Amino acid sequence: MTEEILRAISSEVYGVWFLIGAALVFWMQAGFAMVETGFTRAKNAGNILMKNLMDFCIGTVMFILIGFSFLLGEDLLGFIGKPGFDIFTAYESFDWSNFVFNLVFCATTATIVSGAMAERTKFLSYCIYSGVISALIYPIEAHWIWGGGWLAQIGFHDFAGSCAIHMVGGISALVGAKLLGARIGKFERDKSGKVIKVNAFPGHNLPIGCLGVFILWLGWYGFNGAAATSVSELGSIFLTTTVSPAVATVVCMIFTWLKYGKPDVSMCLNASLAGLVAITAPCDVTDCFGAIIIGTVAGLLVIFGVWLLDYKLHIDDPVGAVAVHCLNGIWGTIAVGLFATDTAPAFSRGFGDGVSFGANQIAGTGLFYGGGFRLLGIQLLGLLSVAAWTLVTITLTFIIIKALVGLRVSEEEELQGLDPVEHGLASAYSGFSILDVSNTMTMDINQNTSLGASDYEMSSEAQKNAAISVVKQTSAADTDIHKVVIITRLSRYDKIKNALNELGVTGMTVTQVMGCGIQKGSGEMYRGVEVDATLLPKVKIEVVVSKISVDSVVDTAKKTLYTGHIGDGKIFVYSVDRVVKVRTGEEDFAALQDVE
């Protein structure tokens, strides 16, 4: 009697945890939205948020109508679940918890595609293929693995979805990005069409992207752990789900530090996700050592994946979805066949009858733990089968959509941004500038611009003029009133302001602007690609002088701005040939009209 009571209590507790896990997986939608938004440009932020909202909502509708029965309906020949409408006809006995749990996993598959196709996909097209993934592509292959289909019957093991979810979403993302084409300006080509340069498009909000990664990491404890049936299983799953992404991130940090001179922020964020994807399939049947090796490979694989798409395949993936989900989904599926060990608590749930198996059972230990090649062979067979199914079905889906409504927005719409043209949204950041005009965009000195002398007094006139050029514009009726416009780096603003004040210039207009001269950017690396920051933060200072000699203003500015490099600043001098005095009360105001 006592054992029966304990079993009943345990069943209720894990039933509640099952639903809490489902809620955590749903919360991952917020994480995906933040990662994709942060890693792309501000002009498309609203569009990406809308897509991440709608793939879950559209997926829910499609899962109700057909997806759930295809996944968990009565097995038909090991291939598909029997279509049915029990959710409407037999609601009193319907498996509500299983529906919600599998729904949130289905939505994850669809949302992976969004990031790789971001910034140039028609919203209508996105809604259509998201619905197809949720209704057909994911439920059928997931039935093979978790619904009693043929892969489950031979002992294929994918506990939480490295193959069924992440690889499927990653392959779909790869095909979609290839058919869609790269964003305008991503690849520069010569006359023969050969790519000669890859340009970086840095994400506009890495703090949001980082928040998304932490949300996803938290949600992954539900993603991997919700199906655990004991405290020991849950504890082991939490351990491997923590170790793998942590190791992947450390490995990525070290590699990018050595390769590019500095640890790459966005790549390390991707590495955390890569480690989570890779451990998803084997999380319940591997140990700590296995998780370390899996994470190590994942950290290197995500770097390789980003490089492969950019420099070899020339496929534009704005957020790294293919490197994170496709490549590491494949790796995680294979890792089961290498690192599955009978010391993991969940391994004891088992071998079935040794001939046929059920969902989340396993055919044996991995290659590195004495199990030979049997399990590895099964994992490879399942991986190739699911990959082939996904490749064929998603390609047909995209081809049909492209023929009917088109996949890509027009060039004009892409340049303007998808927020205004697709959603009538002027900006997702209404009231805020979408340009980085802060003084945080630092850059190393470009040695090619050095003039060989950093001291102003020791420099020749040629060196001074090369560093800070002066352009004088005079009119036919030149006067003693001049307007001087000085453009320089934000870092020199305080010095030039103080120097002009000491000279006696009491009025000036200061504007923060973006621009560049001979130095076209910082030369830094973003995700392994050199950033060609053609617009850098500058300050424009405008003064009008009459009593003070214009030459003294120019000389003071040149001396203050000079550092010995081409591009220290530029000075424009305009004459003012008309002064209009307007009297208001007891004050005089001068309206100055420039003649350039």
Side-chain angles (χ1 to χ4, degrees), residues 10 14 17 159 225 227-240 283-286 343-349:
S10 179
Y14 280 97
W17 161 244
F159 185 68
T229 57
S230 69
V231 174
S232 59
E233 281 186 25
L234 188 59
S236 178
I237 290 170
F238 268 47
L239 185 150
T240 56
C283 64
D284 66 324
V285 292
T286 192
T343 61
F347 192 88
S348 61
R349 77 164 70 127

Side-chain angles (χ1 to χ4, degrees), residues 28-51:
M28 291 172 71
Q29 289 290 128
F32 280 115
M34 295 299 96
V35 169
E36 292 172 22
T37 302
F39 281 13
T40 51
R41 291 171 290 185
K43 63 183 180 180
N44 301 302
N47 176 260
I48 290 171
L49 295 174
M50 187 68 169
K51 286 176 178 175

